[in-house]
Amino acid sequence: MMTKRAAVATAASLIFSTLLVKTNANATTAAQAPAGPYVRWAELEISPAKLAEFREASRDIAAPTLQEPGVVAFHSAAEKGNPTQVRVLEVYADAAAYGTHLQSPHFQRFAQASQPVLVARRVYDTVPILLGAKPGITSPAPHVRVAELEIHANQLDAYKAAVRQEIEDSIAVEPGVLAIYSVALKDQPTHLRFFEIYADEAAYRAHIVSPHFKKYVETTQSMIAARKLFEMDSPVLGIKNAH
């Protein structure tokens, strides 16, 4: 999952911002959803002939989306070497904020522009495990990773505890770890998704040799039933200066 960057900022300049959310309620609509962060995960397949159009539409929607009061973070990236496969992570203050986003003019334009370029689209409601991020993403060459894990059901609580601690430590002590978002698919709670942002590849490489990451690997290796790890490319990243 992660790494560390050698020497970037002083400890005083590191700002730790983490959301710890545990909820089992239905989050499909604003009326049903509990208060708190509302996170959507999307897996998109783009027509190879339409990649340029999709990337332009994604860039166009990013800035106005972040201007919405209820939007916390909005990230997308494509699999490296397989650019038609795109992951999107959207974090809203609550489900009502997501509903407001859907009605916005910029989303309506994006929906219209992206419809002809999509081959397949899978969107999931999620239950956040831990959303950890430093305010703002200013790196000129961010390194993005996505992980898809399946956890043994009888080990799920223990795994969540271990990964929360690992994320907290990584955000707090590693200057090059910019964000690690961990969520479970709402209808498949043993299926977890991670969207990880590092200052650069060196930060990632340093992270995976850090003591807290090594401890996480040793603690959880028997808890993980299956995993897929992806290096990502062409990221469009946006996060508010504070949660």
Side-chain angles (χ1 to χ4, degrees), residues 55 58-59 62 74-77 195 233-238:
R55 287 170 178 166
S58 296
R59 287 191 295 268
F74 193 87
H75 306 308
S76 69
F195 197 103
D233 205 356
S234 304
V236 177
L237 308 174

Side-chain angles (χ1 to χ4, degrees), residues 101-145:
H101 170 70
L102 294 182
Q103 301 303 315
S104 66
H106 46 273
F107 176 80
Q108 296 294 326
R109 289 194 300 270
F110 173 80
Q112 185 174 11
S114 63
Q115 197 167 32
V117 312
L118 290 177
V119 175
R121 174 179 178 268
R122 296 174 296 278
V123 182
Y124 302 94
D125 286 338
T126 73
V127 177
I129 296 171
L130 195 70
L131 310 176
K134 294 181 175 72
I137 294 176
T138 57
S139 172
H143 183 76
V144 177
R145 312 282 298 192

Side-chain angles (χ1 to χ4, degrees), residues 37-184:
Y38 181 69
V39 184
R40 301 275 284 183
W41 180 274
E43 298 169 359
L44 310 178
E45 182 178 353
I46 312 303
S47 168
K50 301 287 188 178
L51 273 174
E53 294 177 34
F54 176 78
R55 287 170 178 166
E56 182 178 0
S58 296
R59 287 191 295 268
D60 288 347
I61 195 176
T65 294
L66 279 178
Q67 297 301 312
E68 297 178 41
V71 174
V72 176
F74 193 87
H75 306 308
S76 69
E79 291 180 19
K80 187 172 184 178
N82 194 12
T84 63
Q85 303 300 313
V86 175
R87 308 296 195 282
V88 182
L89 175 78
E90 306 170 37
V91 184
Y92 301 90
D94 51 31
Y98 173 66
T100 298
H101 170 70
L102 294 182
Q103 301 303 315
S104 66
H106 46 273
F107 176 80
Q108 296 294 326
R109 289 194 300 270
F110 173 80
Q112 185 174 11
S114 63
Q115 197 167 32
V117 312
L118 290 177
V119 175
R121 174 179 178 268
R122 296 174 296 278
V123 182
Y124 302 94
D125 286 338
T126 73
V127 177
I129 296 171
L130 195 70
L131 310 176
K134 294 181 175 72
I137 294 176
T138 57
S139 172
H143 183 76
V144 177
R145 312 282 298 192
V146 162
E148 301 177 357
L149 272 58
E150 182 179 354
I151 309 302
H152 292 296
N154 63 346
Q155 295 290 311
L156 186 57
D157 289 343
Y159 177 83
K160 287 180 178 180
V163 80
R164 285 181 184 124
Q165 186 62 60
E166 197 280 330
I167 294 172
E168 289 175 350
D169 291 344
S170 298
I171 297 293
V173 306
E174 296 189 59
V177 177
L178 304 183
I180 301 174
Y181 301 90
S182 174
V183 301

Side-chain angles (χ1 to χ4, degrees), residues 16-39:
F16 174 50
S17 176
T18 302
L19 296 170
L20 178 57
V21 181
K22 289 184 261 184
T23 177
N24 294 316
N26 188 328
T28 303
T29 67
Q32 294 171 315
Y38 181 69
V39 184

